[in-house]
Amino acid sequence: MIITNSLDEVKKREKALSIIKDIVENKGREFLFDLTGLSGGFIASPSDLSLLETYVGPAIFEEALQEVGIEHMGGEKVLPLNRTSSGILATILALVEEDTNVVHYLAQLPAHPSIPRSCKLVGANYFETDVFEEFSIPDNTSLVVITGSTMDLKVIDEDEFRRVIEMAHEKGIPVMVDDASGARLRTVVFNQARACDLGADIAITSTDKLMPGPRGGLMAGRKELIDEIKVKVNQFGLEAQPPAVLAMLNGIKNFNGDNLVKSFERKDEFFDMLNEKFSNFEKTPNGVLISPEGLADEIGVDHNLSDDDLAFVLSFILLKDHGIITIPAVGMPGASATIRFDLSTNDAFNLDLNDLSEKLESSFNKLLNV
Amino acid sequence: MIITNSLDEVKKREKALSIIKDIVENKGREFLFDLTGLSGGFIASPSDLSLLETYVGPAIFEEALQEVGIEHMGGEKVLPLNRTSSGILATILALVEEDTNVVHYLAQLPAHPSIPRSCKLVGANYFETDVFEEFSIPDNTSLVVITGSTMDLKVIDEDEFRRVIEMAHEKGIPVMVDDASGARLRTVVFNQARACDLGADIAITSTDKLMPGPRGGLMAGRKELIDEIKVKVNQFGLEAQPPAVLAMLNGIKNFNGDNLVKSFERKDEFFDMLNEKFSNFEKTPNGVLISPEGLADEIGVDHNLSDDDLAFVLSFILLKDHGIITIPAVGMPGASATIRFDLSTNDAFNLDLNDLSEKLESSFNKLLNV
């Protein structure tokens, strides 16, 4: 075993970081292909950055975000947040009283933990279901929650979406939509309407999910509610800070729906290509992966490495020889050793799939020779 | 009256922003002097920014921040937060149970509102006092809070600081220090020890106060408690995001204690200079100000402008002729028309006080001719 404890993992990660630093400094950023799907984005021009430093920059970006954000999300007003979880917390702090009920409908359990957690904090009763027929709104409900698409990218049925909103509004209860990835996945890939257009009072999306934006949340909805929630946001320090607001603005501007649709098609194409040479790759919603066990199965020669070690070595070959960043090389201690290729990242669109497949094959052959 | 409503204020601000943009684009950032004291900082090199975009940048900055942050704050570990208020919330969520007591000693009331507000959220009883003799720790207390220096920069007595910590530790109760500005003001200007060195279990500072960092909070303290608080921070989305972490790192590295000491001396020097020519300037802890009424009193000629309008016009002359940014020109609707010159900002140290005084006099004379 090469990697036996957390300290080894830290050292492994430091080694990967130094390779990346070397590529950035000696070859250039364009020779790195971040396929982790975890990087977020921080697009900023030199003039943006000069402004960021002054009193006025933030104000300019926040104003510009109103226009661009409303176009992306619908609604009357947007509010940039430090995280989607902070937006959910603020909404529940603003709208949910102690001992009231919060009910949540989603396509597949479990819900994002920030929702039940925030309810617990204010002392509300929380109920969730992924069976539409079992969904109902009891008396004394203060908030109805809908998840647009789950953490595993399972998308809600649009008719059920509309129906839940109708049920809530018949009782005069506001609806918050957790549309973290859904704001793009539902609308662009599944041709559904924006949550606010379906009648949601509040919708929140994650600006780093399926778009080249920073880790952060963007809330949209009815102006009166947003203003009420914004008070809690400012009181508890939940708002996005100026650099994040700038990056959100540029992330949305650079969001390309065609690319997203293409990544869903490309993963099939890429999977088929890999299947001609390998037998252990699996599909993810927007890419492919090979598990350490799958990789071990793929290897036909004798070796004395653990399954995880095999994945670490392959991940390092991909990085060093081809500038391809995957999680096993750069992950924090305890991160999965599964090698995932996320095809919806910005860098993924700069890669030709045949080329990527060849790079992968050459890295695999190098692994056999190690 | 030139400015009669919020729409006028918005237009005024837009005009100021376009002047600033023009200066940045045609002359350069170095011709702008932001003396608002509200700008925060975002220092980042091109190579920092390339890294920011990749998965690894954030990890590099967070690691580097451990070293630099501990040097600045003391303690065993640091944790970067979206705001000081978010750090206070997280600490109280982690350490304070419902129905327990939280007691707070500070040099002058009122406390920062995030402290009582977070206590209320968890259902704790909150007590505060600025009379040391009246401070005591009742039974069933879960947290003792100390404010290092207040929002008006009033600094706690170091002996009282130590004594409160002793009282808490005698009962085995953890101590959180709100050292928003105090982490620099107390240590550098008043020669006090760092909060963690005085025995605080947790200390939090604001990285945009009296240093060229971004709006954000930096928590330091005992590793075991920080790890416990970090769980709440991550659950509710309270952590600083990568661009802020980068700017914190560079803000601390660029913090110059001598400059801070100098700004406290310089404001006296500047005040004396201005007093030779004007009679309505007043001192602030780290600069000088002139109120709209003071300005009106200063004017010896007939005019038909309101007091606020006079301040707006002077603020615009300062900006347009000399690149000096003050709040009346760039403030959001409703911001004060008082012209403040904050001498602790980074830009202030690039200004010669005689030169600044002459620029001010020339702007004032121009105002008389308008």
Side-chain angles (χ1 to χ4, degrees), chain A residues 10 13-14 16-17 20-21 24-25 29 32 34 36 38-44 47 49-60 63 82-83 85-87 89 93 98 112 114 117-118 121-122 214-216 233-244 247 325-327 330-332 335 346-347, chain B residues 10 13-14 16-17 20-21 24-25 29 32 34 36 38-44 47 49-60 63 82-83 85-87 89 93 98 112 114 117-118 121-122 214-216 233-244 247 325-327 330-332 335 346-347:
Chain A
V10 167
R13 195 164 149 277
E14 282 173 356
L17 300 190
I20 289 169
K21 199 159 166 253
V24 170
E25 286 172 359
R29 172 67 180 84
L32 272 181
D34 188 340
T36 60
L38 297 176
S39 64
F42 188 78
I43 303 172
S47 68
L49 292 170
S50 321
L51 273 175
L52 202 52
E53 242 203 291
T54 72
Y55 182 57
V56 299
I60 292 181
E63 273 178 33
N82 190 45
R83 286 257 306 277
S85 297
S86 347
L89 171 62
L93 287 176
E98 194 174 347
H112 193 274
S114 63
R117 218 170 252 147
S118 299
L121 186 61
V122 300
R215 192 167 201 198
V233 163
N234 290 337
Q235 283 178 344
F236 292 109
L238 307 175
E239 73 283 349
Q241 299 307 327
I325 307 179
T326 52
I327 291 172
V330 296
M332 293 282 192
N346 232 27
D347 286 354
Chain B
V10 168
R13 192 162 152 280
E14 283 173 355
L17 300 190
I20 289 169
K21 201 161 164 252
V24 171
E25 285 172 0
R29 173 65 182 84
L32 272 182
D34 188 340
T36 60
L38 297 177
S39 63
F42 187 79
I43 303 172
S47 67
L49 291 171
S50 320
L51 274 175
L52 201 50
E53 242 201 290
T54 72
Y55 181 58
V56 299
I60 293 182
E63 274 178 33
N82 190 44
R83 287 256 305 277
S85 297
S86 347
L89 171 63
L93 287 177
E98 195 174 346
H112 192 275
S114 63
R117 218 171 255 145
S118 298
L121 186 61
V122 299
R215 194 169 199 196
V233 162
N234 289 339
Q235 283 178 343
F236 292 109
L238 307 174
E239 73 283 351
Q241 299 307 326
I325 307 179
T326 52
I327 292 172
V330 296
M332 292 283 193
N346 232 27
D347 286 352

Side-chain angles (χ1 to χ4, degrees), chain A residues 247-297:
Chain A
M248 281 181 193
L249 180 64
N250 288 331
I252 298 174
K253 282 184 184 168
N254 283 275
F255 168 63
N256 185 327
D258 294 341
N259 277 356
L260 184 56
V261 173
K262 222 173 4 177
S263 82
F264 274 71
E265 296 163 1
R266 281 178 104 209
K267 70 133 191 278
D268 293 323
E269 193 189 337
F270 191 47
F271 180 75
D272 292 343
M273 263 179 213
L274 293 173
N275 251 1
E276 291 175 17
K277 297 161 190 163
F278 303 98
S279 44
N280 287 281
F281 275 90
E282 300 167 41
K283 282 186 198 178
T284 70
N286 50 354
V288 301
L289 65 77
I290 188 163
S291 66
E293 299 71 31
L295 187 58
D297 186 62

Side-chain angles (χ1 to χ4, degrees), chain B residues 215-260:
Chain B
R215 194 169 199 196
L218 184 66
M219 181 184 289
R222 281 171 43 209
K223 185 175 179 307
E224 172 208 344
L225 286 180
I226 297 264
D227 287 341
E228 200 178 327
I229 294 166
K230 193 174 182 178
V231 174
K232 296 292 176 188
V233 162
N234 289 339
Q235 283 178 343
F236 292 109
L238 307 174
E239 73 283 351
Q241 299 307 326
V245 175
L246 163 63
M248 281 180 192
L249 179 64
N250 288 331
I252 298 174
K253 282 184 184 168
N254 283 275
F255 168 64
N256 185 326
D258 295 341
N259 277 355
L260 184 57

Side-chain angles (χ1 to χ4, degrees), chain B residues 12-13 54 111 132 153 175 186 199 215 225 288 302 320:
Chain B
K12 162 176 77 65
R13 192 162 152 280
T54 72
F132 181 69
L153 305 188
V175 175
R186 286 192 311 98
R215 194 169 199 196
L225 286 180
V288 301
D302 277 351
K320 203 161 179 185

Side-chain angles (χ1 to χ4, degrees), chain B residues 52-102:
Chain B
L52 201 50
E53 242 201 290
T54 72
Y55 181 58
V56 299
I60 293 182
F61 306 136
E62 295 234 0
E63 274 178 33
L65 187 66
Q66 284 302 324
E67 193 180 327
V68 171
I70 288 173
E71 198 183 318
H72 188 66
M73 295 288 288
E76 298 167 357
K77 185 173 183 174
V78 297
L79 177 62
L81 302 150
N82 190 44
R83 287 256 305 277
T84 297
S85 297
S86 347
I88 287 168
L89 171 63
T91 304
I92 290 172
L93 287 177
L95 306 181
V96 177
E97 297 280 327
E98 195 174 346
D99 295 329
T100 62
N101 299 311
V102 173

Side-chain angles (χ1 to χ4, degrees), chain A residues 193-207:
Chain A
R194 297 179 299 191
C196 293
D197 296 340
L198 290 171
D201 302 283
I202 292 294
I204 316 175
T205 195
S206 300
T207 56

